[in-house]
Amino acid sequence: MPSGTAPLLAALLAVCLAGALHDAAAQALDALRRSGAASSSASGHSFASHTAVNSLATAAANAAASAGAGADPDASGGASRALPDDVADALVDAGVARWRRARRRLRQQQQQHAGRGEGGQGQGQQQLAWKQWQQQEQHQQEDDGGGDGGGLGTSAAAGATGTAGPGAGSEAGAGAAGAAGGGSSTAADGGSSSTAAAVMTGLHRLLAAAKHHRAKSPESHVLKLRQLQRAMYLGDLERIRSFVWRMAAGERLTVALLGGSVTMGMGAVLAEPSYAQWLQMWFAEVAPARPDSGLPPEGPSAGLDSGRAGAWLGVVGPGWNASTVRVINAACPATSSGYMNLCLKEYLLDAAPPDLVLLEYAINDPPFPQPAFENEPRKSLELLLRKLLLLPGRPAVALLNGYRWQGQFTLPGPTKREALGVYYSNAEPEYFEFATYYGLQLLSLKAAVYHQMVAGVRSFRTDLTRAETRANGTSDKMAFFYEDPIHPSGLTGHRAMAELVEGMLVKVGRGLVMRPWRQNEEAARQAPLPRHLIPGNEDSFNDVCILGDRLRESAADQKGFDWVNEGRDPRAPKWGFTATQPGSNITFVLNTASPASDPAAPGASAGTAAVAATANANATAAVAAAAAAALKPRFVILILAYLRSYENMGMADIHCAGGCVCGARALALYDKYGGENGTGAAMAPAAAAAYAAAVAAAAAEAKTQAEPAARLDGLWEPRASQLQLGCVQALLLAAAPAAAHAPGATATPGAGSCRVMVRVAQETRSGGHKVKLGGLIVSESSPALASGMCRDNAEATQRAAGYIE
């Protein structure tokens, strides 16, 4: 930096930051003194302007905080006080210039050493220069309140490539980049360094805006930097680095939120922001949209009255359209990760493919299912994670784990006391295993806030809820963490959850300053997934969920069941068929011709794809094989999403009443005719016809039998209400397309649809008979997984009923 530039910048800052003139000037002069002292050292001379500029940046942020201190954050509706554009531009330009000089200096040193043939001595000097630059960056980050987590990765990268950090080799190769997910045109061939510099400028601006966001007023954040630091596990960085790099480049990105009632926004009442809205407002501040971005002026309607799951999606705000990053809230209240695993397509139906997914189920999933991991809840979680990781664009997936002070279970032992304030009262320990195995980011709310809760610190108090103090108009609205015993309050708990995400993105952004995105990271981002963590777990991508209006339309006959919304919050509707009297019944009609049975459909099985290939080579054989595949019944799991709660709940029986066979009969027929070798088109036409005829006969016989295939029990011990999954194995008589029939073949009686009847039982454990059905799911899983899922659900039901200790 020229000798006259730093004083000029100091004067500019002092003039622009009105209201903090004396403090800004004093800090600026102090920075210049430190700069002069540093310049007297030969080793530190090249970093003098670096230190001065960064100290001035700190002075600017502190002055802005001083100017805003004491102002009521609600007076302007939460609007931010932006740093003046000329000051922000000066700070960003200085940061970029500092970055370029460091790269240029290191490159020159490398070239000099290579030309002199100094070998090991030159490499040592090179590493020493790089280490000095890292130390200067680390000191500045400590001044900012925390490290970036990128220094170690930088050193490792330097060692792996034989270079001395970003900048060695070629200016473009060190600085950038490459298309992070295909969004940027930057290449690593030395021909697009200007693009890399432009992204780096955006990154510096993003970090400056994030820093100003935290410093603008004392009420601008809930978590301290030390709390953020202890709550983060960053896992593999390629996907999340790609997201932040593209955000700095100004690309349009989508963040999808999946979870239960907390993610939906419960607890954030009376216009207080939910964590999704806090996050969207932060994106609007740090990643503002350009005037030519083409973003529409308003978001889509939430459509909460339709009852269709996809209509619960909504781009949240306010101010969402002011950012290049939009937040899609695809949560569903009172559900577990197992439910979302089966219905993911339904909830992301109307959303753009996400670039970052935040998953919040640690307080919805059961804490300690047994046997450890090899159980239905953990298997379903793994399958959901794999579906998300394999979405188009390979999004980053982060586990945002919530925490309930009032625990979810009763502690074991003779006292049977409630798990109040118990640190390990959620599923997070096992979630961490998935994070380390798949390299996911994990953010732990309890790690960030638990010690403050125990100490009764303001904003983290748990002795009362915010709802209990709202009647008192003078109560401290920032005192309590929870709105009710389950859901965090909007101004404290929800804000803390958003700050965990913001802190993660800032930390990754600081790492990108130290080690910019490189093209070779793209290969790791697109790498295949490892094998399943849980032995025997198998992916299933053809699950079909019938929810909302489609569930309502599939009801052919109903007696005593009504279609009602029992949600108390308009943001969290709870539509479903509800009955309260024994003998009430409802029948759903399922179309058994699924896309998976179509050889041309995406996701078709290997067997049906083989049929299509054979057709090109041998038409006669293809017709016979297609006829066999069409006649052969499909093994699926029929899953009813039903309400479980702690009072007035009844039992219901499931019957297959035509076009399908359920339960033990389905397994027996599958073992006799299909077996593990009966998948796809492997069966001969005669064997497939015999199999279909046997299933059709069993389906016709089942119409006259009163014995149910399965029973659902809506009563459970925890004082909570949640949709649970009750499942039964089934064989469906799929309707074969006309072209697929062999010459002279006739349609199988009963093929084309499956009728599933649910009847409210006379028996009850609660004294009430309420049964609520929220959805019907068809999962084309393997027979082994289907048996395990149904067995686990049946055991859970029996245990709740007291039949199993």
Side-chain angles (χ1 to χ4, degrees), residues 401-459:
N401 295 338
Y403 176 68
R404 283 174 54 181
W405 178 265
Q406 299 196 22
Q408 299 169 255
F409 65 100
T410 301
L411 290 173
T415 59
K416 300 291 185 182
R417 65 182 179 88
E418 183 184 359
L420 181 65
V422 175
Y423 189 75
Y424 49 82
S425 65
N426 64 5
E428 186 166 307
E430 292 182 348
Y431 270 51
F432 188 71
E433 299 289 353
F434 288 107
T436 57
Y437 186 81
Y438 286 104
L440 311 176
Q441 288 70 54
L442 184 144
L443 304 173
S444 172
L445 184 65
K446 70 180 184 181
V449 305
Y450 182 80
H451 296 301
Q452 283 71 23
M453 288 179 170
V454 172
V457 176
R458 179 176 181 261
S459 297

Side-chain angles (χ1 to χ4, degrees), residues 632-633 635 666-680 682-683 691 731 783:
K632 180 179 176 294
F635 191 98
L667 281 174
L669 287 168
Y670 181 86
D671 292 340
K672 181 177 180 180
Y673 293 96
E676 293 295 340
N677 298 320
T679 57
M683 296 184 74
Y691 185 16
L731 287 168

Side-chain angles (χ1 to χ4, degrees), residues 151-379:
L152 181 61
T154 308
S155 300
T161 60
T163 64
S170 72
E171 184 156 336
S184 172
S185 61
T186 309
D189 58 1
S192 54
S193 59
S194 60
T195 304
V199 178
M200 187 57 65
T201 300
L203 183 61
H204 278 277
R205 187 178 296 277
L206 185 154
L207 294 175
K211 183 174 181 179
H212 175 63
H213 175 80
R214 283 190 63 86
K216 62 187 178 183
S217 76
E219 298 287 349
S220 64
H221 58 271
V222 175
L223 300 180
K224 305 297 183 185
L225 291 168
R226 188 166 183 265
Q227 292 173 268
L228 293 174
Q229 179 69 30
R230 70 160 36 234
M232 294 183 196
Y233 171 76
L234 292 183
D236 293 339
L237 290 171
E238 291 84 8
R239 294 193 184 208
I240 194 66
R241 279 168 54 85
S242 168
F243 176 85
V244 177
W245 185 258
R246 287 182 287 153
M247 182 168 66
E251 293 188 30
R252 290 195 62 179
L253 302 172
T254 297
V255 178
L257 310 184
L258 297 176
S261 57
V262 172
T263 295
M264 179 56 72
M266 302 293 284
V269 300
L270 300 180
E272 293 177 359
S274 66
Y275 111 76
Q277 292 170 315
W278 283 116
L279 193 58
Q280 184 66 82
M281 290 187 286
W282 184 81
F283 280 124
E285 188 163 340
V286 304
R290 300 180 302 273
D292 59 346
S293 64
L295 291 173
E298 297 178 358
S301 171
L304 296 178
D305 58 344
S306 72
R308 186 175 67 85
W312 298 351
L313 295 175
V315 180
V316 300
W320 72 269
N321 56 329
S323 176
T324 56
V325 182
R326 64 172 183 169
V327 177
I328 298 292
N329 195 335
C332 180
T335 57
S336 64
S337 62
Y339 174 84
M340 188 57 70
N341 167 53
L342 296 170
C343 297
L344 179 64
K345 293 178 182 177
E346 183 76 13
Y347 284 86
L348 291 182
L349 181 66
D350 298 330
D355 303 283
L356 170 63
V357 180
L358 300 172
L359 204 68
E360 178 267 313
Y361 282 111
I363 62 174
N364 285 49
D365 283 354
F368 307 118
Q370 293 296 324
F373 285 95
E374 296 189 25
N375 54 71
E376 189 273 329
R378 297 301 177 260
K379 287 182 178 180

Side-chain angles (χ1 to χ4, degrees), residues 287-665:
R290 300 180 302 273
D292 59 346
S293 64
L295 291 173
E298 297 178 358
S301 171
L304 296 178
D305 58 344
S306 72
R308 186 175 67 85
W312 298 351
L313 295 175
V315 180
V316 300
W320 72 269
N321 56 329
S323 176
T324 56
V325 182
R326 64 172 183 169
V327 177
I328 298 292
N329 195 335
C332 180
T335 57
S336 64
S337 62
Y339 174 84
M340 188 57 70
N341 167 53
L342 296 170
C343 297
L344 179 64
K345 293 178 182 177
E346 183 76 13
Y347 284 86
L348 291 182
L349 181 66
D350 298 330
D355 303 283
L356 170 63
V357 180
L358 300 172
L359 204 68
E360 178 267 313
Y361 282 111
I363 62 174
N364 285 49
D365 283 354
F368 307 118
Q370 293 296 324
F373 285 95
E374 296 189 25
N375 54 71
E376 189 273 329
R378 297 301 177 260
K379 287 182 178 180
S380 294
L381 174 63
E382 181 176 26
L383 297 185
L384 173 60
L385 293 174
R386 294 177 69 90
K387 287 178 180 177
L388 294 171
L389 289 168
L390 291 173
L391 284 174
R394 297 299 189 265
V397 178
L399 300 172
L400 176 56
N401 295 338
Y403 176 68
R404 283 174 54 181
W405 178 265
Q406 299 196 22
Q408 299 169 255
F409 65 100
T410 301
L411 290 173
T415 59
K416 300 291 185 182
R417 65 182 179 88
E418 183 184 359
L420 181 65
V422 175
Y423 189 75
Y424 49 82
S425 65
N426 64 5
E428 186 166 307
E430 292 182 348
Y431 270 51
F432 188 71
E433 299 289 353
F434 288 107
T436 57
Y437 186 81
Y438 286 104
L440 311 176
Q441 288 70 54
L442 184 144
L443 304 173
S444 172
L445 184 65
K446 70 180 184 181
V449 305
Y450 182 80
H451 296 301
Q452 283 71 23
M453 288 179 170
V454 172
V457 176
R458 179 176 181 261
S459 297
F460 304 98
R461 287 176 55 186
T462 60
D463 52 321
L464 292 173
T465 63
R466 177 103 188 272
E468 293 175 298
T469 64
R470 282 187 180 275
N472 181 2
T474 62
S475 63
D476 184 0
K477 61 185 178 182
M478 293 288 293
F480 302 101
F481 194 83
Y482 293 101
E483 176 66 29
D484 56 50
I486 298 176
H487 305 103
S489 179
L491 296 182
T492 52
H494 275 278
R495 182 183 288 193
M497 293 178 67
E499 288 178 7
L500 287 175
V501 181
E502 297 160 11
M504 173 185 69
L505 298 178
V506 169
K507 192 177 186 73
V508 172
R510 287 174 172 168
L512 283 166
V513 171
M514 295 286 286
R515 181 169 61 92
W517 171 265
R518 294 168 180 253
Q519 183 60 42
N520 59 15
E521 294 182 72
E522 184 64 19
R525 202 173 74 88
Q526 299 285 349
L529 299 183
R531 67 180 186 180
H532 293 76
L533 168 65
I534 302 174
N537 213 10
E538 299 181 31
D539 293 323
S540 174
F541 298 101
N542 294 316
D543 305 315
V544 177
C545 286
I546 304 172
L547 307 171
D549 287 342
R550 292 195 289 128
L551 179 66
R552 187 180 185 182
E553 293 165 0
S554 70
D557 301 302
Q558 59 190 86
K559 177 183 177 182
F561 277 86
D562 296 315
W563 180 252
V564 295
N565 175 18
E566 295 185 324
R568 298 178 181 178
D569 190 317
R571 293 173 297 180
K574 297 178 181 179
W575 291 93
F577 282 106
T578 303
T580 58
Q581 297 299 321
S584 300
N585 61 82
I586 186 169
T587 299
F588 300 102
V589 179
L590 308 178
N591 182 0
T592 58
S594 75
S597 64
D598 181 1
S605 67
T608 55
V611 171
T614 305
N616 295 328
N618 190 323
T620 303
V623 169
L631 290 172
K632 180 179 176 294
R634 291 166 34 230
F635 191 98
V636 301
I637 318 175
L638 296 180
I639 305 172
L640 278 164
Y642 70 105
L643 179 68
R644 296 195 73 189
S645 190
Y646 51 91
E647 59 184 358
N648 300 322
M649 303 303 296
M651 301 181 182
D653 295 327
I654 303 176
H655 301 261
C656 280
C660 49
V661 180
C662 298
R665 285 191 140 209

